Amino acid sequence: MAVGLTAVALAAAGCSSADPVEPEKKDGSFIISWSEPQNPLIPAGTSETQGGVVIDALFTGLTSYAAKDAKTEMANAESITSADNGKTWTVKLKSGWKWHDGTTVTAKNYVDAWNYGAYSPNGLINGTFFADIDGFADVHTEDPDGEEGPQKAPTPAAKEMKGLKVVDETSFQVTLGAPSNLWPIKVGYSAFMPLPDAFFKDPAAFGQNPIGNGPFKLSKWTKNTELVVTRFDDYQGAEKPKVKDVIFRVYTDDAAAYEDVKNGTIDFQQQVPSAKLVGNLYKTDFADRSSNKPISSSAFIAMPTWLPGYNDPNIRKAISMAIDRQLVIDKIFNGTRIPMNGWVNPNMSGYKADVCGANCKFDATAAKALWDAAPVKPKDLSLAYNGDASHKGWVDAVCGSITNALGVPCVGKPFPTFGEFRTLVTTEKMTGMSRAGWQADYPSIENWLNPLLKTGASSNDGKFSDAAFDAKLKEADGTADLAAAEKLYQDAEAMLPNLMPTIPLWHSSQQTVWSEKLDTVVINTFGELDLASVTVK
């Protein structure tokens, strides 16, 4: 119909068939710089940002987070209520929601997805996010040394959590192991998104060609080249996409991606290369097509605590005190980062300043004394990173600071791609330290402790484990009152300076650029482009 009307309009305007006719572009498309994700595109199997941004485009969960302030809003859920102060929750879905294959989104899709994600033999990295649900321990096991994985862990006693119950097609009940009023906030994270019946017929195939219920549907995925999503016109969410297609194009060099945004080959780069921060070059290049915004993302160094030397908290403290954070920020990032002195981002509810104290402040003399006194030193003092993004400069600067303070060589160790790097990290193949970043999943202090530092947690890259710290987290997890729970999470964070599980580096302020083609650009508090609100000229 649209094509026919356009043809009539052209004829009425006196255009002949020989005249060139531009294709209709009222919907438009745009191209984003991207890296190939680590894992297949399954919500509970994706814990890194490159896969996560696509998961968020393809799927919608019970709740979502407002782009402006990250407040929780109902999405696929009509309501999430509790009559017993947070122990049992009743979830009612909005009717009329469809999967991209035309089937109906049901309560069973949530219950089945959560049971599958939690069942440890399935090997999904976000399985521990379901730990609040009653019966999780029956479906999720770990091997004795705390390492997750279907190869080593004992077979669980059950395949389904007893705390999940389908009531009818549009409602289900969730019983937690202990009361928690934080739970309705957590379920906006992608690990809690539903899965259609089609997933269970062939999970491996689904991960390469996922069917979602979100604002966009997968159109094409050419590995290591680009992935295309197309607007889902039957999407029932509140904010429907304004553009037709979003193209995620793979770049292994962020400097090349920057130049391609500059010349209009692509349209968006989430973080400019560090070289473009010097003298605010990116502002000169892009003027009113750039932003500089503090976001809910922070940088750490993951410490391989299973290796001799790195398993000593005093070695980890020594390395932390050997890093002149402010100098690195000034020289490499042109002052656009904030030195960390704790393990939680300032944008989070529950954040406290100066938790880490002296252990996160540069003191070469104290660092050298701790290092020299340690009975066992790390065999490989190196810092690994993915070479397809702008990390070399700061990694070399951090290693230089460590070398100067401790008097022993520290070297940067690049790996070609983000996916290859993350696979080596999660499979414990690293022989030294590795860079780590955390972008908040939801705006709570809890999100910076449980997923990162609890024994066996999904993003505990260093395999850190401490029984007393775990016990404090468990106490906080089981506290219904949000304010009281937050105080207990703060108590847990206060234990970390003595344990030094990871090395906090800096909080991020993100410098983003886009092409002249983009009209409306909204960066949310997590640092992601709000795809649904984008308009093109």
Side-chain angles (χ1 to χ4, degrees):
M1 179 67 73
V3 173
L5 290 173
T6 301
V8 170
L10 287 170
C15 296
S16 73
S17 59
D19 292 329
V21 178
E22 288 293 319
E24 189 176 32
K25 293 182 178 179
K26 69 173 185 177
D27 293 327
S29 64
F30 65 95
I31 305 170
I32 293 176
S33 171
W34 186 60
S35 295
E36 192 75 18
Q38 177 190 4
N39 295 319
L41 293 174
I42 299 170
T46 301
S47 67
E48 39 78 24
T49 55
Q50 301 306 296
V53 67
V54 180
I55 292 291
D56 288 341
L58 299 178
F59 293 86
T60 297
L62 298 174
T63 63
S64 60
Y65 306 111
K68 181 180 179 180
D69 55 14
K71 286 185 178 178
T72 299
E73 300 175 336
M74 292 294 117
N76 190 197
E78 181 72 41
S79 62
I80 304 175
T81 57
S82 175
D84 59 1
N85 198 28
K87 170 76 170 177
T88 306
W89 294 90
T90 299
V91 179
K92 179 71 175 176
L93 301 181
K94 294 173 182 174
S95 59
W97 279 59
K98 299 290 185 181
W99 291 103
H100 297 159
D101 64 0
T103 58
T104 301
V105 179
T106 67
K108 186 175 183 295
N109 295 148
Y110 281 92
V111 170
D112 288 349
W114 295 3
N115 277 322
Y116 188 94
Y119 187 60
S120 53
N122 290 328
L124 297 188
I125 195 167
N126 281 332
T128 53
F129 274 88
F130 304 102
D132 291 339
I133 300 172
D134 190 22
F136 174 78
D138 296 330
V139 303
H140 193 98
T141 58
E142 300 167 6
D143 74 299
D145 66 8
E147 177 190 347
E148 291 191 73
Q151 305 302 319
K152 296 183 179 181
T155 302
K159 287 189 174 182
E160 298 179 355
M161 292 177 283
K162 59 186 177 183
L164 294 179
K165 178 186 175 183
V166 175
V167 177
D168 55 40
E169 189 170 84
T170 58
S171 60
F172 63 102
Q173 191 177 79
V174 183
T175 302
L176 305 182
S180 172
N181 285 298
L182 178 63
W183 186 79
I185 298 174
K186 294 171 68 172
V187 296
Y189 176 49
S190 58
F192 293 93
M193 290 177 180
L195 288 169
D197 292 341
F199 167 82
F200 300 95
K201 296 175 182 177
D202 191 342
F206 182 94
Q208 306 305 317
N209 190 23
I211 298 166
N213 66 331
F216 293 91
K217 58 185 178 181
L218 184 67
S219 176
K220 181 178 69 173
W221 186 5
T222 305
K223 294 297 180 65
N224 299 308
T225 302
E226 68 179 27
L227 181 148
V228 182
V229 297
T230 298
R231 183 178 61 214
F232 179 45
D233 288 328
D234 289 333
Y235 181 60
Q236 297 298 306
E239 190 172 12
K240 296 172 176 58
K242 312 299 188 297
V243 299
K244 183 180 179 184
D245 297 307
V246 181
I247 302 159
F248 298 87
R249 184 161 295 168
V250 174
Y251 278 83
T252 57
D253 179 357
D254 63 349
Y258 180 89
E259 293 301 322
D260 278 357
V261 179
K262 188 176 174 182
N263 63 38
T265 300
I266 67 172
D267 304 299
F268 184 84
Q269 185 177 43
Q270 185 169 325
Q271 174 61 60
V272 304
S274 57
K276 299 302 179 181
L277 300 177
V278 179
N280 289 320
L281 285 174
Y282 75 97
K283 290 185 178 180
T284 302
D285 288 342
F286 288 89
D288 59 349
R289 292 181 289 110
S290 67
S291 73
N292 180 12
K293 177 179 180 176
I295 60 171
S296 304
S297 177
S298 303
F300 300 83
I301 295 177
M303 310 298 284
T305 60
W306 64 89
L307 295 176
Y310 287 113
N311 60 358
D312 182 350
N314 283 333
I315 284 286
R316 304 195 292 265
K317 292 175 188 176
I319 294 172
S320 178
M321 288 189 287
I323 301 170
D324 191 338
R325 292 163 176 79
Q326 191 62 59
L327 181 63
V328 175
I329 289 170
D330 291 342
K331 296 294 185 183
I332 304 299
F333 297 112
N334 198 35
T336 60
R337 303 292 186 269
I338 302 168
M340 292 180 73
N341 202 284
W343 282 263
V344 178
N345 186 279
N347 289 336
M348 299 297 104
S349 178
Y351 165 78
K352 288 186 73 173
D354 203 23
V355 172
C356 186
N359 289 342
C360 288
K361 293 176 182 175
F362 178 60
D363 188 335
T365 302
K368 184 74 162 64
L370 272 177
W371 179 270
D372 289 344
V376 179
K377 310 293 194 298
K379 184 178 179 181
D380 178 8
L381 190 59
S382 63
L383 179 51
Y385 62 97
N386 52 301
D388 56 358
S390 189
H391 298 302
K392 177 177 169 54
W394 74 257
V395 167
D396 288 348
V398 165
C399 263
S401 184
I402 293 171
T403 297
N404 291 337
L406 302 183
V408 293
C410 172
V411 296
K413 186 180 290 187
F415 292 88
T417 66
F418 178 76
E420 179 181 347
F421 166 74
R422 284 301 305 165
T423 297
L424 291 170
V425 170
T426 56
T427 55
E428 296 184 41
K429 298 293 175 57
M430 289 298 179
T431 58
M433 303 176 288
S434 56
R435 85 154 190 96
W438 188 247
Q439 176 184 293
D441 302 313
Y442 41 90
S444 168
I445 181 177
E446 183 272 342
N447 188 230
W448 293 76
L449 301 177
N450 267 324
L452 291 169
L453 298 172
K454 185 171 70 174
T455 300
S458 58
S459 295
N460 186 344
D461 290 348
K463 306 304 177 187
F464 168 75
S465 181
D466 182 81
F469 177 72
D470 287 349
K472 182 59 69 175
L473 289 180
K474 185 175 182 179
E475 182 184 359
D477 293 343
T479 300
D481 181 75
L482 280 175
E486 198 167 86
K487 175 62 170 62
L488 290 169
Y489 288 124
Q490 291 172 338
D491 291 345
E493 188 190 9
M495 301 169 70
L496 297 179
N498 286 331
L499 301 169
M500 215 64 198
T502 57
I503 295 178
L505 291 176
W506 41 73
H507 302 299
S508 297
S509 179
Q510 181 174 283
Q511 295 73 41
T512 302
V513 294
W514 53 90
S515 74
E516 292 180 348
K517 181 179 181 179
L518 299 193
D519 196 8
T520 304
V521 176
V522 177
I523 310 297
N524 66 26
T525 58
F526 304 116
E528 300 285 356
L529 177 62
D530 182 30
L531 298 180
S533 67
V534 173
T535 58
V536 297
K537 295 177 181 178

